[in-house]
Amino acid sequence: MAGQNLISLDDALNHLLDRATPVTRAEAVNLTECLGRILAENHYVPADVPPADNSAVDGYAVYHSDVRDGEALTVSDRVPAGTAPAPLQPGTAVRIFTGSEIPEGADAVVMQERVERTGDSIVINATVSSGQNIRQRGQDLTKGALALARGTRIRPQEMGLLASTGINRVPVLAKLKVAILTTGDELVDPGQPLAPGQIYNTNRYTLLGLLAEAGCDVTLCESLEDTRDATRQTLARAAAEADLIITSGGVSVGEEDHVRAALEESGKLSLWRLAIKPGKPLAFGEVAGTPVIGLPGNPASVLVTFMVVALPYIRKRQGRSDVALTGERLPAAFEITETSVRREFVRARKENAGSEVQVAAFPNQSSGVMSSACWASGLAIVPENTQVARGDLVTFYSFNELLS
């Protein structure tokens, strides 16, 4: 616990992650459609990769003992890539190309730059050893080996590896179905004129982008009317459609903040008010068995709390195994003179200062200033009860790492 009736971030994350049950639904998708998906089962290599010894260079395949200084070898064959070679005739060489299968009887490939050719004869001007310039069968992957573990998030390199094993249908976990509910009668969709007292609905589009980056399916995206009944009814409808409900706003202590109250009345509220900045009024609970993460209403708070609190929970629900963050320790180009019981996430970016890389903070850290997040490239962490002087080392997490 963090004091002031606030829950520490570490306790809050433990609470959420203890209740984050990974999805078990699986489906098979085409290899071309598996980018960003989570592998649903271990993938074992069905056959050696490569399936046969092949040449690493353009040149000539030989048996190394046949090569003698100044003596010519007859070129007895030519093996383009993709063709099955005949066995090497003893005492001869075979013209070969990168990726071509090595003929039986050959045990080395000489680069063409080390060869003088006259008609059908060559003279090799290099020392030749067995295995030279040959990619061995199974050099990359051997049959039966574990290539990729369940829970792996598939990147382009994993797509390539799967392709190298001949797989065209990939078993992946089903995408997490998420409902987005934004609160506030003052919110208007972009493209509409603003009446007095109205503002544009920033959070809906921030959350749509964040959830798309996280590989989730948004099954419902609505605005909540600022009434208790409407809030309860929409939460119940969302619970029937989604694996997770994410709300923005309505979790503070105002008379028009109905999400927290609706959770307490018709669901369950198990966590509220975190010792973080920005984002103190964050809630977690459930409606009809469907988890609800209630984010604050201010735009920058939504971004930060999604990355710091909601995203670790989502990753575990997705069944991912690669969720650890490393960050960087870099000198601060800013200062924090007042301590707080709240852990602060400073919108910041790396900047060069001579030969040193420092972390600079956006001048205005107000939770309503979304431009700070566009200027920044990540978040610098100021621990609880900590002052920061210029030059002190701080932990910096890039947005790329947080969202990967």
Side-chain angles (χ1 to χ4, degrees):
M1 304 300 287
Q4 297 183 6
N5 296 319
L6 302 178
I7 301 172
S8 75
L9 176 59
D10 295 333
D11 287 345
L13 283 174
N14 287 334
H15 181 88
L16 265 70
L17 295 178
D18 284 346
R19 291 156 179 78
T21 304
V23 295
T24 56
R25 304 186 306 272
E27 59 184 350
V29 299
N30 291 332
L31 180 61
T32 54
E33 299 169 348
C34 72
L35 182 66
R37 303 297 297 272
I38 311 302
L39 198 63
E41 58 189 49
N42 291 340
H43 176 64
Y44 295 95
V45 183
D48 289 338
V49 179
D53 294 352
N54 68 85
S55 180
V57 297
D58 292 344
Y60 294 85
V62 297
Y63 179 62
H64 77 281
S65 293
D66 291 338
V67 178
R68 299 178 177 86
D69 288 344
E71 293 188 12
L73 292 173
T74 300
V75 179
S76 59
D77 202 356
R78 184 176 185 274
V79 183
T83 61
L88 175 69
Q89 297 178 26
T92 69
V94 169
R95 178 66 167 132
I96 202 166
F97 302 89
T98 301
S100 297
E101 186 174 330
I102 302 297
E104 180 184 346
D107 69 349
V109 176
V110 183
M111 296 175 64
Q112 62 187 22
E113 292 86 350
R114 300 299 184 90
V115 173
E116 294 180 9
R117 179 165 181 168
T118 304
D120 290 335
S121 297
I122 61 169
V123 174
I124 296 173
N125 300 313
T127 300
V128 180
S129 57
S130 180
Q132 178 177 312
N133 294 321
I134 291 179
R135 300 176 182 136
Q136 300 293 326
R137 174 178 176 170
Q139 178 187 50
D140 188 3
L141 300 167
T142 56
K143 182 179 179 179
L146 176 63
L148 296 172
R150 184 185 191 279
T152 298
R153 180 174 179 266
I154 300 172
R155 303 168 296 173
Q157 49 267 54
E158 280 80 27
M159 291 179 68
L161 186 146
L162 289 166
S164 77
T165 67
I167 299 299
N168 69 336
R169 295 281 289 175
V170 184
V172 295
L173 292 173
K175 289 187 177 183
L176 199 67
K177 296 185 292 184
V178 183
I180 298 174
L181 303 178
T182 53
T183 69
D185 286 344
E186 75 278 13
L187 299 179
V188 176
D189 280 336
Q192 303 299 316
L194 288 179
Q198 293 182 327
I199 58 173
Y200 288 118
N201 191 342
T202 302
N203 294 339
R204 169 182 292 176
Y205 298 92
T206 300
L207 288 170
L208 282 169
L210 289 167
L211 288 165
E213 287 270 13
C216 298
D217 270 344
V218 175
T219 59
L220 183 71
C221 185
E222 293 187 6
S223 295
L224 291 171
E225 293 181 25
D226 279 340
T227 68
R228 191 71 52 84
D229 286 343
T231 300
R232 281 198 298 261
Q233 291 172 15
T234 308
L235 282 171
R237 184 159 47 85
E241 298 183 21
D243 300 310
L244 171 66
I245 301 169
I246 293 182
T247 66
S248 67
V251 291
S252 192
V253 294
E255 294 178 4
E256 300 299 325
D257 290 319
H258 299 296
V259 172
R260 179 178 62 85
L263 285 176
E264 290 179 313
E265 292 173 2
S266 57
K268 179 181 178 182
L269 178 68
S270 62
L271 180 149
W272 183 51
R273 300 180 80 233
L274 270 57
I276 61 173
K277 182 181 180 181
K280 180 173 67 174
L282 184 142
F284 178 73
E286 64 179 54
V287 171
T290 298
V292 180
I293 297 178
L295 302 181
N298 285 314
S301 296
V302 166
L303 181 77
V304 171
T305 53
F306 181 92
M307 291 182 179
V308 173
V309 180
L311 196 50
Y313 174 86
I314 288 172
R315 283 171 168 161
K316 187 172 179 183
R317 291 287 309 274
Q318 289 173 322
R320 286 182 57 174
S321 58
D322 57 333
V323 297
L325 300 176
T326 55
E328 299 178 79
R329 294 285 286 173
L330 296 169
F334 62 91
E335 58 184 25
I336 301 291
T337 58
E338 296 183 6
T339 63
S340 172
V341 297
R342 298 161 66 188
R343 190 177 307 177
E344 184 168 0
F345 293 85
V346 178
R347 281 142 277 160
R349 71 183 182 191
K350 295 195 291 186
E351 293 184 348
N352 293 323
S355 60
E356 184 178 56
V357 177
Q358 296 181 333
V359 176
F362 192 76
N364 188 343
Q365 291 290 318
S366 168
S367 58
V369 178
M370 195 61 175
S371 59
S372 63
C374 298
W375 174 92
S377 61
L379 301 174
I381 316 305
V382 180
E384 298 88 335
N385 306 306
T386 301
Q387 293 180 322
V388 176
R390 291 180 182 274
D392 287 351
L393 293 179
V394 295
T395 300
F396 176 80
Y397 294 106
S398 71
F399 290 146
N400 287 339
E401 181 181 10
L402 288 165
L403 293 170
S404 65

